Amino acid sequence: MNTAKKLLESMRNNPRDWRLAQLQSVAKQHGVKWRQEGTSHCVFIREDGKVLPVPARRPIKPIYVNMFVALIEGS
């Protein structure tokens, strides 16, 4: 099991205290692109066009982590 899959599983089990860099790492491994051009949000973009803006503040709130996990899993 690679690091991205472990991180995703950990996010699913405990959605608290995650950093944006960790979300970006998981997204990269699952083929989800993102953009953050000097803004306060990082926008994750799935292949089918579904988007998820996540505030770049630390720590990321659990609701955003849960929505990110759902985005990665294709829900």
Side-chain angles (χ1 to χ4, degrees):
M1 185 180 256
N2 66 16
T3 305
K5 288 184 182 181
K6 287 179 185 177
L7 278 175
L8 185 61
E9 185 65 30
S10 296
M11 287 177 190
R12 187 180 303 111
N13 294 332
N14 182 13
R16 295 186 177 273
D17 299 325
W18 293 98
R19 294 186 320 239
L20 193 57
Q22 293 168 314
L23 270 65
Q24 290 172 341
S25 173
V26 171
K28 182 178 180 181
Q29 292 296 319
H30 287 87
V32 175
K33 297 182 181 185
W34 72 88
R35 69 173 185 261
Q36 184 183 15
E37 300 164 357
T39 62
S40 62
H41 286 68
C42 180
V43 180
F44 293 95
I45 308 160
R46 205 166 59 187
E47 291 276 328
D48 63 358
K50 184 166 174 141
V51 297
L52 174 66
V54 176
R57 292 190 173 152
R58 291 183 290 175
I60 298 171
K61 291 184 179 180
I63 187 69
Y64 292 108
V65 175
N66 289 334
M67 291 190 301
F68 175 77
V69 169
L71 180 83
I72 295 296
E73 292 176 339
S75 301

